Amino acid sequence: MAEKVAQHTHCQICGKSIPVSETLCSEECKQRYQSLLKKRKLLVYLMYGSIFVVLLLFAMNILAY
Ligand SMILES: [Zn+2]
């Protein structure tokens, strides 16, 4: 049988094979990952913000009538 493939995972940015203990392959990918996380956080805040606005509009409608 073929020899066992050493346990590995893939870089979350570029998909290169890396040891299981790592999540990203290089400093460059780490930086890209960080900016991706920031963007994602911003999107989450935006989503919560718009939900809050919609709820506020509903509440104002209920109060107005
Ligand atoms: Zn990478």
Side-chain angles (χ1 to χ4, degrees):
M1 284 298 279
E3 59 185 280
K4 266 190 192 168
V5 178
Q7 274 220 322
H8 71 280
T9 184
H10 295 276
C11 173
Q12 295 194 13
I13 298 298
C14 68
K16 261 189 206 169
S17 292
I18 46 171
V20 179
S21 55
E22 305 282 326
T23 44
L24 299 160
C25 69
S26 66
E27 208 50 47
E28 198 194 321
C29 281
K30 272 176 198 164
Q31 278 169 15
R32 267 203 253 172
Y33 186 65
Q34 287 302 321
S35 64
L36 207 83
L37 279 186
K38 268 184 209 164
K39 265 186 213 162
R40 206 177 284 175
K41 256 189 203 168
L42 207 75
L43 271 176
V44 169
Y45 287 141
L46 272 176
M47 218 172 67
Y48 279 126
S50 54
I51 288 171
F52 179 73
V53 168
V54 169
L55 284 178
L56 203 74
L57 287 176
F58 265 120
M60 276 162 69
N61 264 341
I62 289 166
L63 288 176
Y65 296 105

